[in-house]
Amino acid sequence: MNRNKTAFLFDLDGTLIDSVYQHVLAWKSSLDEEGIPLSVWRIHRKIGMSGGLFTNILLRETGFDSTPERLERLRFRHAETYKALSAGVRPLPGARELLDYLTAQGTPWAIATSGRMETAEHNLAALGVDPTIVPVVTRDQVKYAKPDPDLFITAAARLGVDIRDSLVLGDSIWDMIAAQRARALGVGLLSGGYGEEELARAGAFRVYADPADLLNHIDEVAARI
Amino acid sequence: MNRNKTAFLFDLDGTLIDSVYQHVLAWKSSLDEEGIPLSVWRIHRKIGMSGGLFTNILLRETGFDSTPERLERLRFRHAETYKALSAGVRPLPGARELLDYLTAQGTPWAIATSGRMETAEHNLAALGVDPTIVPVVTRDQVKYAKPDPDLFITAAARLGVDIRDSLVLGDSIWDMIAAQRARALGVGLLSGGYGEEELARAGAFRVYADPADLLNHIDEVAARI
């Protein structure tokens, strides 16, 4: 990696925004309403994938048919319940400071999320991120979302950097797997509720607690002179 | 351990009942109302301790004063919000079958929870557990809750078994630490949302996905003829 060119490609939910547990319970409620029994922790461990892939996998594992109508109902009810639960959702500690630091250093950075722009907009505003200035790649803009590498590859292309000179910062094993498939280096954050070893096993070369902890140790992953 | 006497001492939330994530968000809401900013994953990793210890530790870590009035407000608001979120809370897969299996085999078992009887009652009913027949030790009945060993030691005493012949089944590292302090053997379950290695590092000698997975592999931990 060319350390003077290292770019930071961020996941959004659980990495910069403290929203994972609200998404988990919103999916739980949506699946319950559809009569699909699934333990909450199993939903948690699938979060971060594309919503379509996520529901397809859950339906396959539980033996329910994956019809377009069912997928649409699940998606709609998740969005409704998430809206009701998300009043208290805030940026994670250090998230704004980390992004400001990178901007001040002239380090290129972008956001790549499996969510859609509709739901991302509110979170970007809370982070003070203007998507007309910073590249923000959402699920709407690529054919395949995480754990496919397309979101991160597109984010690097938007920045005009080589994906092999990039770090992928994420809270879920799907981010780390997408990072490996993209030939980027994965950096894991515990702030989405995964354990440290789960992230390391999925390919994270370093794991930090949250954006504040990463900022405190930024020289470990992207020292520059 | 005398395998013909092996007793099973169960935690409740996250071990037999799928209620951890609802408790986590109820604490998040309670702390928010008190103006105490804390990331959700950090609350998740403290759940399973006694509520008093839990709030004390969180207050100390965030630098807020721990006054009796504040503790009471936090506890009250957690209980209120949990009630609103817990409509969909159900026993975990295999929980009832596992308890029925142990009863049919004549294996002694008990429940030891850091919660209070008030909140445990509804869950015991959902599990088909009659606390006048099965020993159920709650936070009300011991001076110190998990990670102190008192709850499990009291449960073993109620069954008339030696704690050193007992397994402690739990989903949190506090259960595993209490098990070690009690000189019981800890068995971890992933159904509370901890990672496998977190539980193993805290002393779990085996880790299973949930009660159904444990029942499928019951011979690994308590084979009898």
Side-chain angles (χ1 to χ4, degrees):
Chain A
M1 283 173 83
N2 180 333
R3 73 181 187 179
N4 288 316
K5 283 188 188 161
T6 304
F8 281 60
L9 312 178
F10 289 97
D11 169 56
L12 188 57
D13 291 289
T15 299
L16 295 171
I17 297 284
D18 195 7
S19 55
V20 166
Y21 289 75
Q22 290 85 352
H23 276 298
V24 170
L25 282 189
W27 280 116
K28 172 66 179 167
S29 159
S30 173
L31 289 158
D32 276 354
E33 280 190 55
E34 192 71 20
I36 301 170
L38 206 70
S39 304
V40 184
W41 71 282
R42 291 191 189 271
I43 299 172
H44 185 194
R45 287 314 193 270
K46 293 285 193 296
I47 284 272
M49 283 188 174
S50 89
L53 215 51
F54 169 83
T55 40
N56 264 330
I57 289 175
L58 293 184
L59 291 174
R60 195 192 313 135
E61 287 184 2
T62 51
F64 282 79
D65 286 339
S66 166
T67 65
E69 297 73 29
R70 172 166 279 155
L71 290 178
E72 188 44 41
R73 276 197 306 271
L74 285 168
R75 199 148 38 212
F76 177 77
R77 286 172 183 158
H78 162 264
E80 288 294 295
T81 314
Y82 177 74
K83 232 178 279 173
L85 287 175
S86 63
V89 167
R90 299 277 179 280
L92 282 157
R96 272 183 290 234
E97 293 80 357
L98 175 60
L99 299 180
D100 288 347
Y101 174 88
L102 295 174
T103 301
Q105 294 280 309
T107 299
W109 61 272
I111 292 175
T113 169
S114 282
R116 289 171 191 275
M117 187 51 96
E118 191 189 45
T119 38
E121 256 171 3
H122 169 82
N123 289 332
L124 295 173
L127 281 169
V129 170
D130 180 349
T132 65
I133 296 173
V134 175
V136 177
V137 188
T138 59
R139 173 74 198 93
D140 321 79
Q141 297 160 28
V142 294
K143 187 155 181 207
Y144 300 108
K146 303 168 199 171
D148 278 278
D150 307 38
L151 279 162
F152 294 117
I153 288 171
T154 305
R158 291 262 184 93
L159 289 171
V161 300
D162 191 326
I163 186 74
R164 291 164 299 182
D165 290 329
S166 301
L167 298 175
V168 161
L169 304 298
D171 68 293
S172 85
I173 64 167
W174 315 114
D175 294 309
M176 299 302 106
I177 289 171
Q180 292 201 74
R181 289 169 70 179
R183 302 297 185 271
L185 276 187
V187 175
L189 298 182
L190 299 178
S191 37
Y194 275 83
E196 186 170 346
E197 292 83 359
E198 292 178 274
L199 293 170
R201 276 198 199 174
F205 93 114
R206 291 295 283 160
V207 178
Y208 300 97
D210 56 15
D213 187 35
L214 170 57
L215 179 55
N216 279 337
H217 298 90
I218 193 89
D219 303 312
E220 296 180 4
V221 296
R224 15 182 94 221
I225 295 156
Chain B
M1 285 172 82
N2 180 334
R3 72 179 187 180
N4 287 317
K5 281 187 190 165
T6 304
F8 282 60
L9 312 178
F10 289 97
D11 168 57
L12 188 56
D13 291 290
T15 299
L16 295 171
I17 297 284
D18 195 7
S19 54
V20 166
Y21 289 74
Q22 289 85 354
H23 276 298
V24 170
L25 281 190
W27 280 116
K28 171 65 180 167
S29 159
S30 172
L31 289 158
D32 275 354
E33 280 190 55
E34 193 70 17
I36 301 170
L38 206 71
S39 304
V40 184
W41 72 281
R42 291 192 189 271
I43 300 172
H44 184 195
R45 288 311 193 270
K46 293 285 192 297
I47 285 271
M49 284 187 172
S50 89
L53 216 50
F54 168 83
T55 41
N56 264 329
I57 289 176
L58 293 185
L59 291 173
R60 195 191 314 132
E61 289 185 2
T62 51
F64 283 78
D65 286 340
S66 167
T67 66
E69 297 73 27
R70 172 167 277 156
L71 291 177
E72 187 45 40
R73 277 197 304 273
L74 284 169
R75 201 152 32 216
F76 177 77
R77 286 173 183 159
H78 163 264
E80 287 294 294
T81 314
Y82 178 74
K83 231 179 277 173
L85 287 175
S86 63
V89 167
R90 301 276 180 280
L92 282 157
R96 271 184 290 234
E97 294 79 356
L98 174 60
L99 299 179
D100 288 347
Y101 174 89
L102 295 174
T103 302
Q105 294 280 309
T107 299
W109 60 273
I111 292 175
T113 169
S114 280
R116 289 171 191 277
M117 187 50 99
E118 191 189 44
T119 38
E121 256 172 2
H122 169 81
N123 289 332
L124 295 173
L127 281 170
V129 170
D130 181 349
T132 65
I133 297 172
V134 175
V136 177
V137 188
T138 60
R139 210 272 154 268
D140 322 77
Q141 298 161 29
V142 294
K143 188 156 179 207
Y144 301 109
K146 304 168 198 172
D148 278 277
D150 307 37
L151 279 162
F152 294 118
I153 288 171
T154 306
R158 291 262 185 91
L159 289 171
V161 299
D162 190 326
I163 186 73
R164 292 166 298 183
D165 289 330
S166 299
L167 299 175
V168 160
L169 304 297
D171 68 295
S172 86
I173 65 167
W174 316 114
D175 294 309
M176 299 303 104
I177 290 171
Q180 292 200 74
R181 289 169 70 178
R183 304 296 185 272
L185 276 187
V187 174
L189 299 183
L190 299 178
S191 37
Y194 276 83
E196 184 169 348
E197 291 84 359
E198 291 177 275
L199 294 169
R201 277 199 198 172
F205 93 115
R206 291 295 282 163
V207 178
Y208 299 97
D210 56 16
D213 186 36
L214 169 57
L215 180 55
N216 279 337
H217 299 89
I218 193 90
D219 304 311
E220 297 179 5
V221 295
R224 15 182 95 224
I225 293 152

